[in-house]
Amino acid sequence: MRDTRESRLLLVLLIAIAFALITVDIRGGEQSPVDGARQAAATVFGPVENGVATAVDPIGNAIGAVRDSGERHNRISALERENAALKQKLGSDDRNRSRVRELDGMLKKAGAGQYGIKGAEVIAIGAAQGFSWTVTIDAGSNDGLKRDMTVLNGDGLVGRVTTVGPSTATVLLANDPDFTVGTRMEKSNEIGFATGQGDRSLSVQLLNGKAKVKKGDRLVTFGSRKAKPFVPGVPVGEVIRVDPSGGDLTRTLYVRPYVGFTKLDIVGVVVEAPRENPRDTVLPPKPAGPKPTPTVTVTVTPGAPPVNGTQ
């Protein structure tokens, strides 16, 4: 439309008419003379509005769903984090309970043998000294540790201290091939020497080739002069096989150690030897065997009356 004088006058006239209609509509209320025109417009444009609303509603619903989905995702993520934290806490509690049991067992062993011990934790496996089976513990000379001290845990003999630093020490484990310890058999007191064989059982040479030994017999440490490197009475292991002597002066035993060398955690270094040799008192009590089944013997006396009416 061209911008002329006539077009401007027409625009002003249309605006004036619109204001007049709005004024009449407001003053007329429900009896407004333009109400019929409004209803007609509603009849014409109503379906179009519904169609537009129908087309738009899925989009609005989708937007709402995405928004709700995000909120649900956040809630799920929060729950997953809480669950992971609880699992981690539970795992930590399980580990703490395990460590408490280890510490309790070690303290009971030390109490039974009257060993003065310094507790420590295994912090590394292997060592720079070239040994095959060693661990590093988090205690050293600052804690009173010295070379050639006995190391034990709640199960028995772990090894001996070989190198000591201010805050750490290296322990040669009892299953190392370079490790040898004097042993004493339970009850019979037969003396021998146990040598490590890595991940296999310990090899024990008994000094008495005719000693009577059987599977299941147990051994403890014999002890060293001035209790270095070994204090007496520490449980070593249990016999699993006995080689025939064959007339030899010595006899070879194979002993399963009490200690699991691949899962060491809490250990104790004996810093004070017992005043008396505990001998076998540190060994755990043997499990009770199965109770014998009682047998009942019935003896029939000649001439006795029949039982339960039998003839």
Side-chain angles (χ1 to χ4, degrees):
M1 184 177 178
R2 297 176 61 184
D3 185 12
T4 62
R5 177 183 177 84
E6 291 78 7
S7 63
R8 287 197 294 270
L9 288 174
L10 179 60
L11 178 61
V12 171
L13 179 61
L14 291 174
I15 293 173
I17 293 171
F19 275 109
L21 290 174
I22 292 172
T23 303
V24 171
D25 184 40
I26 293 173
R27 289 182 179 180
E30 295 180 357
Q31 303 299 326
S32 171
V34 298
D35 187 57
R38 184 187 297 112
Q39 292 180 2
T43 302
V44 174
F45 295 107
V48 177
E49 291 176 350
N50 288 335
V52 173
T54 303
V56 172
D57 280 346
I59 299 175
N61 293 336
I63 294 173
V66 170
R67 182 174 58 252
D68 293 342
S69 175
E71 293 176 357
R72 286 194 296 270
H73 178 74
N74 292 337
R75 289 195 297 270
I76 292 172
S77 297
L79 290 173
E80 288 177 347
R81 288 193 297 270
E82 291 178 6
N83 191 30
L86 289 173
K87 286 183 178 180
Q88 184 176 0
K89 185 174 184 297
L90 179 62
S92 177
D93 289 344
D94 289 342
R95 184 169 185 270
N96 288 337
R97 283 192 289 268
S98 175
R99 289 162 67 88
V100 168
R101 287 194 295 269
E102 287 185 33
L103 181 60
D104 182 63
M106 184 179 67
L107 292 176
K108 287 180 179 178
K109 280 283 189 294
Q114 296 300 304
Y115 308 125
I117 64 170
K118 173 65 180 180
E121 181 179 357
V122 174
I123 58 175
I125 300 174
Q129 288 80 4
F131 298 124
S132 299
W133 292 84
T134 60
V135 295
T136 302
I137 58 176
D138 63 349
S141 57
N142 294 339
D143 304 289
L145 271 59
K146 297 179 181 178
R147 180 183 171 87
D148 287 337
M149 284 184 166
T150 306
V151 183
L152 52 79
N153 67 3
D155 297 320
L157 179 67
V158 171
R160 63 180 175 87
V161 176
T162 56
T163 306
V164 181
S167 58
T168 62
T170 301
V171 177
L172 179 66
L173 301 180
N175 64 334
D176 188 276
D178 290 335
F179 186 97
T180 300
V181 58
T183 61
R184 183 192 296 274
M185 297 292 302
E186 180 184 14
K187 296 181 179 179
S188 69
N189 292 326
E190 293 287 351
I191 298 173
F193 294 93
T195 302
Q197 297 191 108
D199 55 0
R200 295 180 294 166
S201 57
L202 304 177
S203 173
V204 178
Q205 295 287 328
L206 288 184
L207 299 184
N208 181 4
K210 297 181 180 180
K212 294 182 179 180
V213 186
K214 65 182 184 299
K215 182 179 178 180
D217 286 348
R218 305 185 295 178
L219 299 85
V220 298
T221 55
F222 178 75
S224 307
R225 188 169 183 267
K226 295 185 179 181
K228 286 190 176 183
F230 302 108
V231 294
V234 180
V236 174
E238 183 176 302
V239 176
I240 57 174
R241 183 160 65 91
V242 181
D243 278 356
S245 60
D248 296 335
L249 297 178
T250 61
R251 193 166 196 181
T252 302
L253 316 176
Y254 295 94
V255 174
R256 179 176 60 245
Y258 288 122
V259 171
F261 298 105
T262 60
K263 53 182 179 180
L264 293 170
D265 188 8
I266 304 296
V267 299
V269 182
V270 181
V271 295
E272 184 178 351
R275 295 182 179 179
E276 297 181 0
N277 189 337
R279 292 186 176 269
D280 305 335
T281 59
V282 186
L283 285 168
K286 286 188 175 181
K291 294 182 179 180
T293 303
T295 56
V296 178
T297 303
V298 179
T299 303
V300 179
T301 304
V307 180
N308 296 331
T310 58
Q311 299 295 326

